[in-house]
Amino acid sequence: MAEIAGAWTEFCRALERAGQVVLRDTAPDTPLDRAEGFRYLSRLTREMLYSCVDNADPDFPRLHELDLVKIGADNPDNVYLSANIRGDRSYRITGQRGTIAYFSIGSKANRYAKDGTMASTGELTGAELVPEPDGTIEIIASATKQGRNWLPLAADSTGLVVRQTYLDRITETPGQWRIERIEGPGEPAELDPEFLAKAFGRAALSVHGTAETFARWTEKFMARPNELPDFGQDFFQRAGGDPEIFYLHGYWTLRPGEAWVIETEVPDCPYWNFQLDNWWMESLDQRRRITVNKHTAALDEDGRVTIVVADRDPGVGNWIDTCGHTTGTALLRWLGAERHPIPRCRVVPADSLAVKENR
């Protein structure tokens, strides 16, 4: 009993220490940013407790949707599912593909709590899936090749990540998926006090490690404000990125009345999007205009796209709302493209855009 009580006490103290990530000198200290920072920690706490305590058994995994948990520039167009597994076991994932534009599933070696990495140990995309005659799909995740649709596992695989990406939320339907271990035990074991004590420790480390990882990313991006450069794709893949995606992350800072103008060619690809995030790399309020994608964007006459980030709509280009922020992060994704244009970015008075349009 004393061990569990001590583990709970240390868990609470560890969460208190995680608060220093929000209070770091480089982070914005406005009331809004501070509030979002601590809400971010509360969301991470909820998710890590569920993942480390209630959905931690690799013999009885469940695919879990990341409801309002925003980590590492979460895509507003995505339905994310995750499950905890082990690389020395085999699993069957079954379901329907649905009509959603893009699907991928990856096995990952999650080390966010230790070194901020989540390397891929196997990947499958929707284009590779072979359905059964009735339209259902069966994926086998295992160390050795099995079945029509095989997702490789490695000795250090700890989890699965499913990405289902909308082009159009009005007309598309995501798939429904479930997972089970192959040849596993018949029923879960009783709660082990030693497991629970360790689980509290893992949850606290995961909260702090995840928050620290992406705070350091933002600090890296701050070296090149109001740009969307290529910081190196290996860097993002080591953290759990989708190998099909080319990531252009950035940091933005604007004074009132300024606009960040992003102009770029658009490569031939099945999906792309741009999104605006806060300093903690959470997507902003998805009920507002914080993202644009291949389906929703209005292209220029020459086929390029112009995106305008500002605190109000200048009436030009594809407006993205800053939602009360003056700083934050952003991400442009090219998915499945053979070439990856780097946007031209500039900061101008927002009023000058409207004047230019009216000439």
Side-chain angles (χ1 to χ4, degrees):
M1 184 68 68
E3 181 183 2
I4 290 296
W8 177 258
T9 298
E10 176 52 31
F11 169 75
C12 295
R13 289 172 176 168
L15 289 185
E16 182 180 14
R17 291 192 294 270
Q20 294 305 309
V21 177
V22 176
L23 300 174
R24 65 204 297 129
D25 292 341
T26 52
D29 60 0
T30 70
L32 175 60
D33 287 297
R34 281 279 169 86
E36 288 189 351
F38 283 108
R39 183 183 63 181
Y40 172 51
L41 291 184
S42 75
R43 289 170 167 175
L44 290 178
T45 300
R46 171 168 59 90
E47 178 60 26
M48 300 313 174
L49 280 174
Y50 179 78
S51 178
C52 294
V53 177
D54 287 325
N55 195 19
D57 190 344
D59 292 328
F60 295 90
R62 287 170 286 184
L63 284 166
H64 162 59
E65 183 173 349
L66 299 182
D67 176 35
L68 287 180
V69 180
K70 301 183 175 187
I71 300 174
D74 58 291
N75 188 345
D77 291 333
N78 273 7
V79 177
Y80 290 99
L81 304 173
S82 67
N84 285 328
I85 53 92
R86 275 183 46 162
D88 60 356
R89 289 152 165 77
S90 297
Y91 301 90
R92 180 181 293 107
I93 301 102
T94 54
Q96 299 282 342
R97 172 68 175 78
T99 61
I100 202 163
Y102 177 73
F103 169 92
S104 73
I105 182 170
S107 62
K108 309 290 182 180
N110 190 337
R111 294 174 56 89
Y112 275 0
K114 297 179 181 180
D115 59 16
T117 64
M118 189 166 68
S120 171
T121 57
E123 299 288 339
L124 267 178
T125 68
E128 299 172 288
L129 296 179
V130 179
E132 301 298 322
D134 64 356
T136 61
I137 293 172
E138 177 182 272
I139 299 168
I140 303 297
S142 60
T144 58
K145 188 172 183 179
Q146 299 181 48
R148 295 184 179 184
N149 305 296
W150 176 51
L151 176 65
L153 300 183
D156 59 348
S157 298
T158 59
L160 304 181
V161 175
V162 175
R163 289 176 170 90
Q164 299 184 89
T165 307
Y166 288 100
L167 278 173
D168 182 0
R169 283 184 175 269
I170 296 176
T171 62
E172 295 172 2
T173 304
Q176 299 296 316
W177 301 93
R178 57 192 178 276
I179 183 174
E180 61 181 347
R181 184 185 167 192
I182 299 173
E183 298 180 353
E187 58 184 32
E190 293 182 358
L191 179 63
D192 179 1
E194 183 178 355
F195 157 79
L196 185 60
K198 291 180 179 179
F200 286 147
R202 285 193 295 270
L205 285 172
S206 296
V207 171
H208 198 159
T210 301
E212 180 68 28
T213 291
F214 292 109
R216 289 179 179 176
W217 280 32
T218 298
E219 290 168 344
K220 180 183 181 76
F221 305 152
M222 288 172 73
R224 300 182 64 175
N226 299 319
E227 295 184 48
L228 290 170
D230 179 8
F231 281 100
Q233 297 305 301
D234 288 346
F235 178 75
F236 302 125
Q237 294 303 325
R238 288 195 301 271
D242 186 331
E244 290 291 305
I245 298 175
F246 192 91
Y247 295 91
L248 294 169
H249 283 274
Y251 169 81
W252 60 275
T253 176
L254 295 172
R255 291 190 293 266
E258 288 186 331
W260 181 28
V261 181
I262 301 159
E263 299 168 305
T264 182
E265 298 176 64
V266 179
D268 182 17
C269 61
Y271 171 84
W272 66 266
N273 86 324
F274 172 85
Q275 67 182 74
L276 208 64
D277 308 315
N278 64 16
W279 199 93
W280 315 107
M281 296 189 68
E282 296 181 295
S283 63
L284 297 182
D285 188 342
Q286 296 178 10
R287 294 166 295 186
R288 296 170 70 170
R289 296 183 55 156
I290 56 91
T291 187
V292 65
N293 70 23
K294 178 180 178 178
H295 175 75
T296 61
L299 298 185
D300 302 337
E301 292 182 359
D302 58 3
R304 296 166 62 89
V305 67
T306 300
I307 299 167
V308 178
V309 177
D311 57 6
R312 55 186 175 81
D313 186 356
V316 179
N318 299 279
W319 173 54
I320 301 295
D321 189 352
T322 58
C323 300
H325 293 270
T326 58
T327 63
T329 57
L331 173 57
L332 175 63
R333 295 174 177 84
W334 304 126
L335 187 153
E338 293 185 359
R339 61 187 186 89
H340 309 106
I342 305 298
R344 173 177 178 254
C345 300
R346 55 198 171 96
V347 174
V348 301
D351 290 345
S352 70
L353 296 172
V355 169
K356 183 177 179 181
E357 181 71 11
N358 291 329
R359 285 179 180 172

